[in-house]
């Protein structure tokens, strides 16, 4: 076969892939897609770069991605360097005033700006925001038996500042603020769910360090590809779903209750998993609908 | 290797192709791309469908494709059925009043609406237009030694109606009209070049039945991948470029003179050739710049 | 009397007529007026020109005329020239695939563009559209005892493309299309009624080859100047109204049910009858209100 | 002939007149036309009503009429009732403080509101304005050998308030104001010329109590139908044009110098003379172009 | 203490006052505030100037003041000079045709333009309007036992012209007009109340020649600082409130019934009383809420 | 004197102050005012609160304040806690990679959000931004004899993101970023000057810890109230101005060169000094014009 033919065949395959994306591009054009970014995807350099390119592609083909992130291991690392006690109660970081100040420094001044810079390099303009900015996230003390300090929950979301930003991609740090200006550390899954609801998002995607939700916790082959929320609740009752998945489940419930079309739990350890979930029929994780 | 891994690898390859398209999507976002549609690509059913999907993709990722077409073999076929004489002088159809009426019926009532319908099926809304519509193309008698009847040339283009159409894809039949309402049959390459100039297009792409422009007419391996207009003029002087390529060259000249960024002569017999030219570095035909 | 006085008197009479139009101009300012164009008015050259000037005047004094037309005798004439069978069942043209293709060629490529060109000459910019354009008219098979082929009925109207056209006068050919891109021949009265309803038109005017609706079919002096729809239904029950008036009646019913203010059946054989109906108290045909 | 035919013939004639207006409606669509209203046309009740209907028609067919007026004989009449001295120097009213207060009361509180009310009755919404309103007319002392008191000249026009009024017809009283809030009485012809210039008007029309400009002051048959400004200047030099026509001439000069297309001096004693001038080829007075 | 310190202390006090205004500026930003202007505030030169500055400040800090005024003593004075009978029945001026003409001249041509000019001098652009302008106030005969002539009541308010004026401050004379163009003299308090209702105003402020509403008519120390409408009605029943306060009360009732937030009766004899009422907690008169 | 009188007098004084602000509010309405925030004003709690109220007032009365800030003593303090070396060369912080990461954490995650929160409490919505956000500040290595690490200079400013933010008050941290996403620590005075230029600001105000610029460095009574840039340059040549004032001077020069109307150096240790400078004739520091 001639090299020209060979080259054409290669091009044709690539074009074929583009065209397979057509129905997804059409379906989600103009839709808001909230992505909770975290875990391994926020640590490994090549995963960080591939995530930025994924978000850029979503934006450029006409969707409106919104990135929500927490602070990851950086907060603990800096806490230790500064001699602050690192303590968790039921997976929640006990957050005294000094830790809160530090958490904000890490979340907003380090992690958030790294994501913004990476998105800029990938070719879309991003703007980083915390709950203070434009009064985006009003928070209050999360209710808990133990005294967790400034661990908060979302009281309300004012999406006005996000609407103003138009063509910029918003990157939101999981920090909220109360009427007196006091900051709170909030679970990033919760923030993602609340934002998705307030923005009338089409999808909310959670990048995790698991392959998806398992029907049988012990069986890696039991990944659920798609299910209704009610089935998931059953899996919680039966104990199949537990641990770190529980706050995610609350966020899923919250988003779906506010009209978000679907929630996805995908494997952030796989490069481009968010893109795969948007652009393919059965995706790479678990899709949950109301 | 596990089937899961296998599947992931397949997905990754597909995502990789999407991401390779990123720089092109970004570069041409919001740009107008005029495509002269004709030849084999307008005859073979599978090429027709693939062309419609190409245009849909360009539109959905943020470019503004404008399709220009002629009448192809249908005019001659209907002429014969109606007992009208079919005669060409130097490649131009001799067009008496009856032939002009028929040509318009075929171009506007048959070919144009087929393209519009196919684009609608491919998922973008299209609107068909002839030179009469919104005063789009003002024409006058083309000057020629022989009496060719109602063979015209573009006198001016008023792009206002195209601008109003916004998110619809315009499909333009190569018919013009003079101030008294008389229609003229115009070469579709010429119309494409004029429209590209009037619209400030970024690119004009000519689908042809050749692989590209050859530096040596007799050598299929001498396809020019990219050249400046001046080099092309030299090839005309030397006789390397001749025949049906000459009206295309005039259209290229016209478009480039009005600020169009590049003209492409691509092989319409290859499925998705327009898309390949937009989304790859060296494309599949000849790219001409000023 | 001095010539100056004479001249003034003439001018005064003309100005008087303009001023009599004032209340009608004021009343219908900004309103959409759908005009079904057909019959003799679409055949005789002087009626064609006078119709174009009527539409231009309506547009220029601030109304929004929309022209809907069928194909008239041209379809049969071309059918015969091409050796296609011409057959009607209950006034509906039996439309096989070849006839459908031809009908579209005549309707869209010939009749529609002639009307557009004539409006352009009369000084307003027009744009011709068929059901395919912008997905304007979605059609499906008309239900009928006999197999009529591609005779369709309106399933839905998407007026978005008409709204985009703003200051251009839309000229709509009575062709619809289904989701697979198959075209259907639809009765133009029906299309006019549906469009009037979808556009929230103030009036729909049917140009016919009769003087108006007669209370007594045999008595030319029994023309009804104005009536309610319910009275017309009674005339149908009593047999006074029948034949070609029945599809018009269905269109009237459809339009009035969708909130159109009034339907007019006027004599298209009289020059300027549409204008007379809009600009005078009792008009020249029959006015039907809900 | 049947009564139906008779009626049709009458309707046809009326429609014919409407259609003769078509080219003028088209030509002046969206254009501003400033009309200086005064003289007999502002006194006789039937002329007042016919003037209001003329302005309404111009507005409704798409032009933007702006009415400018002075105070007419009412100022003198009220001055006498109040025992104020009425004195003119070279046609200019000597205006002391008490006369200025009274002039404003008559111009703005009586004449202006009468015109506004009459336009409202004729079916268009009008808004009356004086130079104070929105800072429309900044005035200063007119230079003159004699002490004329508060007789002013236009220093500048700020058309912003007129632009805001959009679909309302502005009616402007010939009063200006300086930076300290002092009012000035200004010649209404002058104000009309300045406004026409500032608004980029297409026409300025002066309603007068003469048939037009005469080439030979003593010969009523020597009315000039159309002339260039330079010819008019010659007539001034030769003494053919003099007296009350001189301030009008200055206003004409001012308007034409600022790009107004044409100035018309028409006979306000003839009903509808403004409309005749706009809607007929040779009009009823004198048309002056640059 | 050094002079620098001294100067700083002075500046600090001034800044302190500005900052005390902050919550009021924030609270009323973008709100419409209708001010009935009259009494002493419209007579004494220094009160006139201070009123203009108050309105300018309200406008410049982001509120939308609308001024409504009557004619004050000027109408009687001019009536006497012209030999017209001045007669009141229950506080209402008997208004025959000649008095109506004069009242309009004074209200619209004198008082209104003075206020407009003073506002222009104070640095905001104002536009004067009467009921005729833009069809603002439709009036009809006020019902009364005696024949009061052209004393009217508000039939309806069309606020469209006020909305068009955007950044200009409207100054409205208390004159209305019926469908035939007949003017009516209307109580300015009534007009203020109606306008406030039609505009969805936040506040309506009545400048009066009393210190506020007294709980005990004879006791100047019984000024009510704030009360509900129902309490006020009780004071009327008990006779505590009577006389000139009654038409004001009707206007208050009307405004509150149409959703106006609060009505204020303030002492116009005190300079800046309107401003004090807006910018301080307990103001200087009586505040009435629904 | 009665208590009522007393109270009135107090109110009058307060209103008087508001009215004195009128000309400044009018003059700067809609203008951008860039304020470099730093020094003592960013440390003392009561100065922080008074600064936030100042900015809120400027915003609410119609100006567009933009706050620019550096990191103050917090960076050094945290550096020490983390065991990072704190070293300055000619007043510039030597910034290795670890210090840069920390500086951003402090600037963006701590200081910036504190200012945003304080502004929110003061009643205006603020949004914090760093150079990364929306590509606001492109930076590159500052040229310097010593190796200062990531000390940068402004290469260009893209104000698009600030324009999008509309009614929000932008708070900008003095961090820039290069094309590869590397952050740079930039002098906040420099950033303020560049932003003022890029935004076409009316004023740029530098809050400092001195009373203003002294003509004689040793004489506290030689504060210059107002001067031209050229005079300031002379003071630099003569040695009167030196030290920490030099980078401010470069920023002043930059801003004035880009058309900023005036630069102010004011004493941030005095509460409300920014407001005093805007709202009074001679202000509290030094005003420099081109």
């Amino acid at each position: 076969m001639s090299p020209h033919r060979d080259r054409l065949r290669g091009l044709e395959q690539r074009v074929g892939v583009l065209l397979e994306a057509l129905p997804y591009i059409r379906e989600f054009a103009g839709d808001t897609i909230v992505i909770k970014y975290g875990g391994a995807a926020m640590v490994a350099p090549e995963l960080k770069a591939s995530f930025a390119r994924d978000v850029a592609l979503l934006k450029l083909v006409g969707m409106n991605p919104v990135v929500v992130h927490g602070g990851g291991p950086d907060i603990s690392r800096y806490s230790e360097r500064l001699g602050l006690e690192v303590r968790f109660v039921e997976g929640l970081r006990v957050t005294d005033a000094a830790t809160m100040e530090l958490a904000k420094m890490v979340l907003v001044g380090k992690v958030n700006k790294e994501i913004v810079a990476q998105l800029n390099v990938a070719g879309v303009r991003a703007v980083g925001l915390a709950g203070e900015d434009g009064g985006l996230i009003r928070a209050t003390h999360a209710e808990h038996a133990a005294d967790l300090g400034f661990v908060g929950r979302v009281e309300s979301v004012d999406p006005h500042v996000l609407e103003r930003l138009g063509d910029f991609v918003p990157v939101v740090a999981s920090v909220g603020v109360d009427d007196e200006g006091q900051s709170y550390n909030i679970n990033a899954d919760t923030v993602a769910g609340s934002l998705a609801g307030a923005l009338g998002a089409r999808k909310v995607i959670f990048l995790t360090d698991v392959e998806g939700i398992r029907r049988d916790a012990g069986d890696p082959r039991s990944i659920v590809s798609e299910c209704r929320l009610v089935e998931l609740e059953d899996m919680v009752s039966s104990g199949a779903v537990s641990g770190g998945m529980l706050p995610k489940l609350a966020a899923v419930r919250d988003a779906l209750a506010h009209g978000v079309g679907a929630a996805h739990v995908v494997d952030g350890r796989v490069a481009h998993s968010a893109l795969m979930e948007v652009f393919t029929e059965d995706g790479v994780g678990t899709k949950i609908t109301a």
Side-chain angles (χ1 to χ4, degrees), chain A:
Chain A
M1 203 168 73
S2 77
H4 181 66
R5 283 287 155 96
D6 251 16
R7 217 180 122 252
L8 276 186
R9 189 152 302 175
L11 287 173
E12 257 169 58
Q13 279 174 351
R14 285 161 62 186
V15 161
V17 171
L18 282 174
L19 289 168
E20 279 172 35
L22 201 53
Y24 302 98
I25 295 177
R26 189 161 52 227
E27 190 177 348
F28 302 128
D31 285 343
T32 295
I33 295 181
V34 173
I35 307 173
K36 154 64 200 312
Y37 180 45
M42 212 162 77
V43 175
E46 73 283 2
L47 289 176
K48 285 155 89 166
S50 81
F51 175 75
R53 293 177 72 204
D54 287 7
V55 173
L57 186 78
L58 293 176
K59 183 71 184 176
L60 283 166
V61 301
M63 307 172 199
N64 293 313
V66 173
V67 177
V68 176
H69 67 90
D74 282 331
I75 299 178
S76 296
R77 197 161 45 221
Y78 265 103
S79 291
E80 281 156 17
R81 288 179 60 190
L82 290 165
L84 301 173
E85 186 191 20
V86 175
R87 194 157 60 90
F88 287 86
V89 172
E90 292 172 27
L92 299 166
R93 183 187 301 275
V94 178
T95 309
D96 59 12
T99 303
M100 185 65 236
E101 180 170 307
L102 177 67
K104 247 171 76 176
M105 284 168 60
V106 170
L107 272 159
V108 180
K110 181 176 184 301
V111 179
N112 186 274
K113 292 309 147 193
E114 276 172 19
I115 302 171
V116 167
Q118 222 137 6
L119 285 169
N120 286 345
V121 169
V124 285
R125 289 276 153 110
V127 171
L129 298 162
E132 284 90 342
D133 294 305
L136 179 61
I137 304 171
R138 245 175 55 151
T140 188
H141 263 288
E143 280 150 39
H144 200 276
D147 179 8
L148 300 174
F150 299 109
V151 169
R153 59 173 179 80
V154 177
E155 199 166 80
S156 62
V157 168
D158 180 349
H160 182 50
V161 67
L162 299 185
E163 290 156 13
R164 288 291 310 170
L165 285 175
D167 276 350
F168 296 95
V169 173
V171 178
V172 181
S174 61
V175 174
V177 70
D178 69 15
D179 283 353
E180 276 74 44
Q182 170 63 48
S183 297
Y184 292 85
N185 188 11
I186 316 183
N187 179 285
D189 292 322
T190 310
V191 171
S194 295
L195 267 181
L199 289 167
R202 179 76 179 265
K203 283 180 184 302
V204 55
I205 298 175
F206 299 92
L207 291 194
T208 65
D209 286 354
V210 298
E211 284 179 23
I213 294 175
R214 295 181 186 176
R215 203 170 291 279
D216 172 352
D219 178 3
R221 292 159 167 249
S222 70
I223 298 291
V224 179
S225 174
E226 185 165 355
C227 69
R228 311 294 298 265
L229 179 58
V230 66
E231 299 173 58
L232 204 54
E233 307 277 16
D234 288 348
M235 291 186 233
V236 173
S237 307
S238 71
V241 167
S242 64
M245 202 55 74
L246 292 182
K248 253 172 252 302
L249 177 57
V252 166
R253 207 183 281 129
D254 184 25
L256 295 182
H258 285 86
V260 174
H264 301 255
V265 175
V266 305
D267 189 347
R269 299 166 305 178
V270 174
H272 307 300
S273 49
L275 217 52
M276 291 173 188
E277 192 69 24
V278 173
F279 279 109
T280 61
E281 182 50 37
D282 30 274
V284 295
T286 302
K287 175 183 181 183
I288 307 134
T289 53

